Amino acid sequence: MNGNAGTGGVLRDNNGNVVVTFVFKIGRCSVTQAELWAIVLGIQVAKSRGFSESLVESDSKLAISLIQHRCSPSYVCFQLVEMIRKFESDGGRFTWIPAYPEANQVAEILSKFGLSSDTHSRIFPLCPSFVFSAVMADIASVSVPRGY
């Protein structure tokens, strides 16, 4: 199923401190494509900030599996998967970590903001106020039901 999508994410340092958050309005795509776009765009933002090694969390087991095991060139997500794999072959070192959706509230809030944003993309050098409480809950390892 395809629909309009936005995506977002957060980059943190070794201590878990927020370095930058980002949102992007993607347009029409599937859920899996949106998850892969989040990873592509997150890696691009990380590279622009000098990160070459990253832990990448996603609540899409399918997206992580496609990256780790490849997919057929005829699959709709093939180009996105190959973009991610190119980051790796260009020297990026990534550890892929599946996240429970309940523990991914920051990305969910940022994605919704990206979808509703009046611009194509925004990068916040600090933690924006609309996501601050979710970041604090995440740091404290508190998960809340999706959509709360």
Side-chain angles (χ1 to χ4, degrees):
M1 185 161 113
N2 289 340
N4 285 324
T7 194
V10 59
L11 301 179
R12 301 173 194 246
D13 65 16
N14 299 11
N15 299 315
N17 300 314
V18 173
V19 175
V20 66
T21 57
F22 61 90
V23 297
F24 288 87
K25 185 180 285 188
I26 300 172
R28 293 192 61 77
C29 67
S30 70
V31 172
T32 302
Q33 287 171 304
E35 293 286 350
L36 289 166
W37 270 117
I39 293 169
V40 166
L41 296 166
I43 290 171
Q44 289 176 339
V45 170
K47 283 184 71 172
S48 75
R49 300 283 197 240
F51 289 81
S52 61
E53 185 173 334
S54 300
L55 300 175
V56 180
E57 290 186 6
S58 173
D59 62 9
S60 173
K61 290 180 184 176
L62 177 57
I64 291 173
S65 179
L66 289 170
I67 295 164
Q68 291 176 326
H69 304 293
R70 298 196 106 122
C71 60
S72 165
S74 63
Y75 189 60
V76 69
C77 294
F78 178 76
Q79 293 297 327
L80 290 168
V81 170
E82 289 304 304
M83 287 172 67
I84 295 165
R85 294 183 65 84
K86 178 148 178 30
F87 289 131
E88 289 182 308
S89 68
D90 288 346
R93 293 180 26 203
F94 307 103
T95 302
W96 307 103
I97 302 172
Y100 290 107
E102 297 81 13
N104 210 12
Q105 292 296 306
V106 175
E108 182 177 341
I109 292 167
L110 290 166
S111 295
K112 288 178 181 177
F113 186 86
L115 177 60
S116 66
S117 179
D118 57 354
T119 61
H120 173 70
S121 65
R122 286 185 68 182
I123 297 177
F124 302 94
L126 300 172
C127 183
S129 60
F130 67 88
V131 77
F132 183 77
S133 61
V135 169
M136 296 311 293
D138 188 43
I139 290 170
S141 298
V142 174
S143 63
V144 293
R146 203 168 203 157
Y148 177 73

